[in-house]
């Protein structure tokens, strides 16, 4: 789908009395100018950079009247828009000795990942994998903290013939034009 936005987007709506021009600015730099017919208009899925930023929309009609709308935003790479689903399911044979030229394969294996945007600020999901000697899976969630970044939590449990193992991960991410920060804590057996 052209211009499909998987992340929540900035949405602006208003009306103009006469044919007008709208200019979209990001970081005080003009990004795009469009013509608007008289009536109600909606600007949605504005192409904005990931992270924290500011956008401004300036509407100027044929009579020289000007309206300006500003909005601060935070677009997270890890949060899906409400109702958007991201998934991958794979099945096949396990490749043995994958780092040499051998074309030998083992038994059947599968991998699965599924995430869904519950709200524009909360994404829930899970993963699973299995083969003849492994069963593993667990939940994951990502929460956008307004303009303060996002937090992702992942948990997992796996079982092989050698035993059972557990893992957890908690990560915080913040991105802006000037700085990027990622902190993570992991615990596993």
């Amino acid at each position: 789908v052209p211009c499909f936005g998987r992340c929540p987007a900035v949405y602006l709506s208003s009306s103009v009395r006469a044919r007008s021009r709208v200019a979209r600015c990001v970081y005080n730099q003009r990004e795009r100018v469009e013509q608007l017919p008289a009536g109600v208009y909606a600007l949605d899925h504005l192409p904005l950079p990931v992270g924290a930023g500011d956008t401004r929309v300036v509407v100027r009609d044929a009579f020289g009247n000007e309206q300006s709308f500003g909005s601060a935003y935070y677009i997270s790479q890890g949060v899906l828009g409400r109702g958007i689903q991201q998934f991958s399911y794979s099945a096949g044979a396990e490749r043995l000795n994958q780092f040499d030229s051998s074309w030998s394969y083992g038994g059947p294996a599968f991998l699965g990942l599924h995430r869904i945007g519950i709200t524009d600020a909360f994404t829930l999901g899970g993963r699973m994998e299995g083969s003849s000697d492994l069963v593993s899976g667990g939940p994951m969630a990502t929460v956008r903290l307004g303009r303060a970044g996002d937090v992702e939590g992942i948990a997992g449990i796996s079982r092989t013939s050698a035993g059972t193992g557990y893992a957890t991960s908690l990560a915080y991410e913040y991105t802006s034009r000037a700085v990027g920060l990622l902190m993570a804590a992991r615990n596993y057996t």
Side-chain angles (χ1 to χ4, degrees):
V1 177
C3 301
F4 173 75
R6 73 179 197 98
C7 300
V10 174
Y11 177 85
L12 299 169
S13 177
S14 189
S15 65
V16 290
R17 293 182 212 175
R19 183 179 169 100
S20 303
R21 288 176 43 155
V22 61
R24 298 190 314 227
C25 304
V26 178
Y27 300 125
N28 282 330
Q29 294 181 357
R30 184 173 287 183
E31 294 282 319
R32 189 170 180 179
V33 176
E34 297 177 39
Q35 296 291 327
L36 295 175
V40 175
Y41 67 89
L43 302 173
D44 59 353
H45 294 292
L46 300 178
L48 300 172
V50 171
D54 296 300
T55 184
R56 188 170 48 95
V57 175
V58 179
V59 179
R60 181 173 293 164
D61 68 21
F63 305 109
N65 299 319
E66 187 174 290
Q67 298 176 337
S68 180
F69 306 95
S71 176
Y73 68 87
Y74 189 88
I75 296 179
S76 168
Q77 294 185 65
V79 175
L80 300 174
R82 169 184 266 159
I84 303 294
Q85 296 187 49
Q86 175 187 31
F87 57 89
S88 172
Y89 296 100
S90 303
E94 183 179 7
R95 175 104 185 253
L96 304 175
N97 303 319
Q98 57 199 9
F99 296 110
D100 62 21
S101 61
S102 171
W103 285 90
S104 58
Y105 290 88
F110 70 89
L111 299 168
L113 170 76
H114 201 118
R115 300 173 68 231
I116 183 168
I118 304 300
T119 69
D120 283 345
F122 178 62
T123 298
L124 188 61
R127 63 157 196 88
M128 61 182 158
E129 62 183 282
S131 66
S132 59
D133 187 39
L134 168 74
V135 175
S136 178
M140 59 183 63
T142 307
V143 178
R144 183 170 40 97
L145 307 171
R147 285 196 43 148
D150 58 63
V151 174
E152 179 181 63
I154 303 173
I157 183 171
S158 61
R159 176 124 178 104
T160 68
S161 59
T164 302
Y166 306 93
T168 58
S169 171
L170 186 63
Y172 169 77
E173 182 176 13
Y174 176 82
T175 305
S176 73
R177 185 176 183 187
V179 67
L181 174 66
L182 174 63
M183 297 185 301
R186 295 189 173 104
N187 180 35
Y188 52 89
T189 59

